[in-house]
Amino acid sequence: MSAERTKIAVFGAGYVGLVTGACFAELGHEVVVRDILADRIEALGRGEVPIYEPGLDELLERNRERLSFTTEVARAIEGTEVVYVAVGTPPTYSGDADLSAVWTVIDELPRVQKRIVVVMKSTVPVGTGEKVRHRLDERGMENVGYVSNPEFTAEGTAVRDFLHPDRIVVGAFDDADGELVERLHAGIDAPVVRADVASAEMTKLAANAALMTRISFINEIANVCEATGADVVKVAEGIGLDRRIGPSFLRAGIGFGGSCFPKDSLALKQLAANSGYHFQLLNAVIEVNELQKRRVIGKLSEQLDRLRGTTVALLGLAFKPDTDDTREAPALVLAGRLLAEGANVRIWDPIARVDGLPGVTQVESVAGALAGADAAVLVTEWPELREIDWGALRSTMRRPVFVDGRNMLDPAEMRALGYAYDAIGRAAG
Ligand SMILES: NC(=O)c1ccc[n+]([C@@H]2O[C@H](COP(=O)([O-])OP(=O)(O)OC[C@H]3O[C@@H](n4cnc5c(N)ncnc54)[C@H](O)[C@@H]3O)[C@@H](O)[C@H]2O)c1
């Protein structure tokens, strides 16, 4: 397919919207990004990037002439052929996805003379496309097409994932609209899965559920390893080499967090329940993850006798490395539990900032976090933690208790340095 320059509007200048906009500009399209946050749009106009995502600032800078930013719907829509929706869909109190931002975008769309296609990038429940189609038809906007093109990128590698995806999923009501969206990706070498809208929507939810299931599976294997004297790192290596299983998402740890997995698992659970189906496996996956985050507290209690009055250093706040995103980060659950037990909590993170967490102190270095602490927990596997001189830091701690929540460090080396080192699913030394 040939690369044609298309004018694309992207609604939402968050993690997904900015990466989508920058990558489409990189592919040669003309992109206008619209957000309701005036500060964010002004900053982007000045060349400032409001989020941390590796490679994004270079991409935005390189494609400046094909990118513009606005808060105005009319400006975004002017002359546009395709409107990408990349607004947030957080959970409501009931666990369903909150689609209010999506509906705002749809309801604000003005009538257009020439056909435009709305493309859903936000993660939405199955059936959303059908509802949007109905709403557009009710308003007499039959010349607005609708396509589901879910996003599978991961924060931290989003630019690479967008430009080199495993697949592109396109679900359309109208074949021509689907072809237009497929053509936008010309220049990207990846299989395209063409589907109906409901199946495209479900593909996104199912992909996340599959990944979460693997994480909770290996975490449960880790817990059984601990009880039986096996080492989950070896076990994961052994099963990951099986071609039918594969190695990814088999790293045991303290559970998943982030802006997607927790909310998307809840949304799929609710979607199933609302449709009359009890999704037993997914319920277990969610529960295992909740318990996994709390197991660290048990490990600390065992070593410290009581947590009240102790100082615990959390190494890492972001829900994973290479992002500043702290939404649903396991560190926040740990901090909350530790504070409830009466411990003092310090957090170190190279990028993410503690915001509105009373009782938690942010420190600027790993050394600062460990000095005088009774225990340290490695929460996020930031690469710089591999470069730390752990030997030198050990003597600065009041008690050298170390829980490696990501199985990142070498147990034998850490124990040889004098740490009371524990990890996840690895026999205690
Ligand atoms: N973050 C990820 O890695 C990821 C990956 C795949 C899918 N998703 C999905 O993509 C969607 C966006 O996620 P995100 O992490 O980018 O969210 P985000 O919160 O970082 O960004 C959403 C942006 O939309 C803006 N917005 C709200 N209402 C708007 C409106 N009416 N018009 C224009 N902008 C508006 C917000 O101000 C915000 O800047 C969600 O549905 C999410 O589940 C996210």
Side-chain angles (χ1 to χ4, degrees):
M1 276 184 194
S2 62
E4 291 165 23
R5 188 174 174 139
T6 304
K7 185 159 180 226
I8 301 172
V10 178
F11 279 58
Y15 288 87
V16 170
L18 280 178
V19 169
T20 301
C23 289
F24 275 135
E26 174 79 0
L27 291 174
H29 303 295
E30 195 184 325
V31 179
V32 49
V33 179
R34 189 259 173 168
D35 204 289
I36 49 173
L37 303 176
D39 287 358
R40 180 164 281 213
I41 290 300
E42 278 162 25
L44 284 159
R46 288 193 301 270
E48 292 164 23
V49 185
I51 57 167
Y52 178 76
E53 183 60 49
L56 180 62
D57 26 7
E58 290 93 318
L59 212 58
L60 288 169
E61 183 56 39
R62 189 160 65 233
N63 295 291
R64 264 181 99 79
E65 62 186 41
R66 282 191 294 280
L67 273 163
S68 58
F69 304 94
T70 184
T71 52
E72 290 167 34
V73 175
R75 245 224 68 211
I77 297 297
E78 202 186 341
T80 284
E81 293 157 72
V82 179
V83 176
Y84 263 90
V85 181
V87 297
T89 50
T92 60
Y93 285 117
S94 61
D96 298 280
D98 179 354
L99 297 184
S100 51
V102 168
W103 286 119
T104 304
V105 173
I106 300 299
D107 292 340
E108 280 183 347
L109 285 179
R111 290 175 178 282
V112 283
Q113 298 301 321
K114 235 177 112 209
R115 186 175 181 80
I116 60 168
V117 177
V118 171
V119 188
M120 190 59 66
K121 261 276 172 240
S122 297
T123 303
V124 294
V126 181
T128 302
E130 198 65 61
K131 288 182 186 152
V132 172
R133 180 70 271 153
H134 185 69
R135 189 108 143 208
L136 290 169
D137 291 346
E138 267 181 348
R139 288 176 62 201
M141 294 171 74
E142 285 84 5
N143 64 344
V144 177
Y146 183 90
V147 173
S148 165
N149 174 216
E151 187 51 68
F152 299 99
T153 53
E155 282 174 29
T157 52
V159 169
R160 191 190 67 201
D161 295 346
F162 192 101
L163 295 171
H164 306 278
D166 292 339
R167 77 314 207 176
I168 296 162
V169 173
V170 177
F173 290 116
D174 181 309
D175 275 349
D177 293 342
E179 268 148 38
L180 169 63
V181 171
E182 211 178 317
R183 271 202 309 278
L184 296 179
H185 295 84
I188 293 180
D189 182 19
V192 177
V193 178
R194 290 289 295 271
D196 57 280
V197 172
S199 303
E201 291 167 341
M202 183 53 118
T203 304
K204 169 65 191 171
L205 299 176
N208 274 359
L211 296 172
M212 288 181 265
T213 302
R214 284 177 72 102
I215 296 172
S216 280
F217 167 77
I218 200 65
N219 283 341
E220 286 218 287
I221 293 289
N223 299 343
V224 180
C225 283
E226 274 178 24
T228 55
D231 183 340
V232 74
V233 174
K234 280 288 145 208
V235 175
E237 187 186 343
I239 61 175
L241 286 168
D242 185 325
R243 261 173 297 186
R244 296 167 300 177
I245 298 173
S248 52
F249 281 76
L250 284 184
R251 288 196 58 182
I254 53 174
F256 55 76
S259 67
C260 288
F261 283 178
K263 90 171 168 64
D264 292 348
S265 54
L266 262 187
L268 179 54
K269 171 184 157 169
Q270 285 314 124
L271 178 71
N274 297 343
S275 322
Y277 184 72
H278 177 63
F279 198 150
Q280 210 163 325
L281 180 60
L282 188 59
N283 278 298
V285 165
I286 295 167
E287 195 182 339
V288 167
N289 193 57
E290 284 312 310
L291 295 174
Q292 197 67 14
K293 286 183 252 178
R294 287 160 175 78
R295 275 178 76 84
V296 172
I297 305 296
K299 286 175 182 288
L300 290 173
S301 304
E302 255 169 48
Q303 304 235 35
L304 296 174
D305 295 332
R306 54 186 227 138
L307 292 169
R308 173 162 300 280
T310 60
T311 297
V312 179
L314 300 182
L315 304 178
L317 167 62
F319 81 95
K320 67 175 186 177
D322 282 329
T323 181
D324 59 352
D325 200 341
T326 63
R327 289 178 283 187
E328 301 287 331
L332 297 176
V333 176
L334 283 179
R337 285 291 309 117
L338 288 165
L339 290 172
E341 295 292 335
N344 304 302
V345 180
R346 292 177 188 158
I347 292 190
W348 165 85
D349 193 286
I351 308 260
R353 288 284 154 261
V354 173
D355 209 3
L357 254 189
V360 173
T361 316
Q362 177 133 28
V363 289
E364 295 309 318
S365 67
V366 175
L370 262 56
D374 296 283
V377 183
L378 195 160
V379 183
T380 313
E381 63 269 50
W382 282 103
E384 36 274 75
L385 291 173
R386 284 191 204 286
E387 313 304 324
I388 299 291
D389 181 353
W390 295 108
L393 295 190
R394 194 198 63 79
S395 56
T396 70
M397 293 182 76
R398 192 153 50 197
R399 279 185 278 182
V401 173
F402 197 106
V403 179
D404 184 349
R406 299 292 175 189
N407 291 345
M408 188 181 187
L409 306 174
D410 187 311
E413 273 175 29
M414 290 298 279
R415 287 186 189 121
L417 292 173
Y419 283 97
Y421 174 92
D422 195 3
I424 308 295
R426 317 195 77 177

